[in-house]
Amino acid sequence: MEKSFRSTALTIFAVLTAISTLLLISVGGIVTSKGVGMSVPDWPTTYGYNMFFFPFSKWEGGIFHEHSHRLLASLVGLFTVILAVWLHGRPARRFLRVFGFLLVAFSVMIAIFTQGRLQTASVMALCGFVSVALSFGWPGNLPAPGWVRRLGLAAVGAVLLQGLLGGLRVTLYKDQIGIFHGVLAQLFFCLVCLLAFVASTKWEEIGLVRTQSPGIRSFGILLTLLVVVQLGLGATMRHQHAGLAIPDFPLAYGGWWPATDEHSLIKYNQNKLDVGTNKAVTSFQIQLQMTHRVTACIILLASLLLLKKTAWNLGWKLPLTRISAVLVALVLVQFSLGAFTIWSDKAADIATAHVAVGALTLAGCFLFSTMAWKSMPQASREILLAHAAGSPSILQESH
Amino acid sequence: MKSIWLGAVLAAVVIPATWAADVTGKITLKGTPAPEKEIAALKNDASCGKLRTDVPKTRFYVVGAGGELADVVVYIKEGLTTKGGDAPETPVELDQHGCEYVPYVVALQTKQKLVIKNSDPLLHNINVNPKVPGNKAFNEAQMGKGPNKIKTFDNPEMFISFACNVHPWMFAYVSVFDHPYFAVTGKDGSFKLGNVPPGKYVIEAFHRKGGKVTKEITVDKDSQVADMAIELKP
């Protein structure tokens, strides 16, 4: 039953959505690395234009990156909506038709009753017509299982929230919102990767191989959580423009742990001559970066242990072992990119690559954990679920 | 005889109170800062690169041959008993010229007008994010050679950052005081605080990168000289 909703087209589209999301994260990374996030002061408009009508001749300097980010975000939002509707299969045709007609009707009302919103009305009308047109040739696959459809809707909710956070970052002038925007972007990427995985036949194949190694599953989850923490630390550093709060690596201001007394901070700031940022180095920023460095070492160690564990318990042929090997490679690349970010004086392309590989690492860890869960024997899964629900009786029974 | 005494007492009280003297001085930098960096992004920018024939560099430390330090904000930090009246009518000007803010550091009084110009033939955004409550953040676009923008700040604050994110190397710093006794040093490192009433004061010289240094002075009817040195930490 579960297989019936899958098709090659759906798998390709879901993968395309994931790739677009990674591209969007990368462009967002460039925006933050170059410090041009506020180059378009208004939102959701762009210099007063509906963003789809903003003339290309005005895409100057930082506007080019920020506006590209917004357009690409719209595309990812559209892809996510299409994917979520696709997961509902053939019955979505009626929804598309009704939604399309409503959009057209709404756009007509906007055009008639409001002034200066003709561009917005045009975009809405176009979406409405496309929605109606699509409904006639919509894929005839069966609906995906309920939990998959709900995941699709959660992705739509996440992408909408993400767009809102991006807009509020601009209109409220708050760096802190940028931190959440950066973290949610990568969590959303994990969700889309999971959808792509579930939409493929690989998902079924994973379920065919049952493994009895709870240590691997726990380790996978632990590694994923560590990467999420690292993502939070990194996003905080980036949105405080504190990537060069410590300008050397592997040492920190010439030592293993830098001093953060008043005299030292004055000295650091006197010598800090960044072209692209005007933020003074603070004790908090230094401690934050040191925590980021230490966590990176822990993640590297944890990924190596995970590889050893999977190879030892499962052998080299199973996907879980191969993925854990890929994870080690990703973590090593990510570690190197972190070092090069500092050595290159935080060159925008390297800092952005650090963000993109970080997103891939997180998604890899997340998928590894999901696969480990999927390949767990049904009985073990039920025991764990019961444990999570706080039902000790089942646990005792299992012993 | 009585009226002579009364006059003398009044004179002794009133005349010093109406005295006002200038405090002048020179700020120097002790130590050698790291060389300024070339702003490659400016030269490589399709629009801004055309506006500059020179090699644009950062302006963290503008230091003369004798150590004279520019862009230091000098002000009375302690000792004022009166705030010295309303903000002056004359506005302070901040221009965007050659894809840089000119000048790099300015100071003004609360409620005094800050006129923001754009002499460049291209768009800049002005992103201002004060930290002191009551001073309003804003991020506004200003078209090339467009109309001036006029802003005021309600509360004292040091080095409010002005940034253009379209051209993310552009920064300027605006300091705001609730009294008129402040100045920004020029390229010769000199400053002048005019018409300071008699009294004992602590004046502070604050350079955004170099840090700050203070000095105690006593002002009477004669002008005072208060040279200070900002020292780079070894």
Side-chain angles (χ1 to χ4, degrees), chain A residues 52-63:
Chain A
F52 303 110
F53 290 86
F54 185 60
F56 189 69
S57 60
K58 294 182 188 294
W59 294 30
E60 284 178 26
I63 299 172

Side-chain angles (χ1 to χ4, degrees), chain B:
Chain B
M1 191 62 185
K2 208 172 180 179
S3 60
I4 291 172
W5 273 109
L6 189 63
V9 169
L10 272 174
V13 173
V14 173
I15 291 174
T18 55
W19 284 341
D22 294 340
V23 178
T24 58
K26 188 172 277 189
I27 309 298
T28 49
L29 182 71
K30 274 189 184 174
T32 309
E36 297 295 325
K37 290 185 177 174
E38 189 179 325
I39 308 175
L42 194 163
K43 284 303 270 188
N44 296 336
D45 186 272
S47 305
C48 291
K50 290 177 192 161
L51 303 176
R52 301 290 289 265
T53 51
D54 61 336
V55 178
K57 288 190 170 180
T58 53
R59 295 170 287 175
F60 293 115
Y61 293 98
V62 180
V63 191
E68 304 88 352
L69 186 59
D71 297 327
V72 183
V73 182
V74 185
Y75 54 97
I76 293 183
K77 187 185 179 189
E78 291 170 20
L80 280 172
T81 50
T82 61
K83 294 294 182 186
D86 295 335
E89 289 290 319
T90 322
V92 171
E93 203 173 279
L94 183 63
D95 193 8
Q96 294 156 101
H97 183 75
C99 288
E100 280 189 320
Y101 278 106
V102 181
Y104 185 50
V105 175
V106 295
L108 72 163
Q109 208 173 328
T110 46
K111 310 278 188 194
Q112 187 176 7
K113 285 177 183 166
L114 176 69
V115 174
I116 309 165
K117 284 175 67 178
N118 183 3
S119 303
D120 285 335
L122 43 92
L123 175 145
H124 292 295
N125 77 298
I126 309 155
N127 182 11
V128 179
N129 213 344
K131 303 286 178 259
V132 172
N135 288 336
K136 285 178 189 160
F138 61 91
N139 183 19
E140 295 174 10
Q142 191 171 26
M143 303 310 287
K145 297 190 184 293
N148 293 344
K149 288 186 178 289
I150 296 173
K151 300 287 174 186
T152 57
F153 295 96
D154 291 344
N155 295 305
E157 183 170 349
M158 291 301 293
F159 299 119
I160 298 172
S161 160
F162 277 54
C164 170
N165 308 101
V166 179
H167 310 104
W169 57 84
M170 283 178 67
F171 294 106
Y173 300 93
V174 175
S175 295
V176 185
F177 297 91
D178 57 359
H179 59 74
Y181 311 109
F182 58 84
V184 179
T185 58
K187 284 188 175 175
D188 61 354
S190 67
F191 71 90
K192 179 183 165 187
L193 308 180
N195 296 318
V196 179
K200 284 188 173 180
Y201 301 106
V202 174
I203 60 171
E204 187 163 78
F206 196 164
H207 185 264
R208 201 183 73 84
K209 296 298 290 183
K212 48 196 170 186
V213 61
T214 55
K215 188 169 194 170
E216 286 184 16
I217 57 163
T218 302
V219 175
D220 49 28
K221 63 182 172 25
D222 299 319
S223 291
Q224 297 290 313
V225 176
D227 294 339
M228 286 180 272
I230 288 174
E231 196 175 342
L232 293 178
K233 304 284 178 197

Side-chain angles (χ1 to χ4, degrees), chain A residues 288-299:
Chain A
L288 186 69
Q289 188 168 136
M290 288 308 291
T291 312
H292 192 62
R293 290 181 181 197
V294 170
T295 312
C297 295
I298 295 171
I299 287 173

Side-chain angles (χ1 to χ4, degrees), chain A residues 103-113 121 125:
Chain A
L103 265 186
V104 172
F106 199 54
S107 65
V108 169
M109 283 169 67
I110 288 177
I112 293 172
F113 296 111

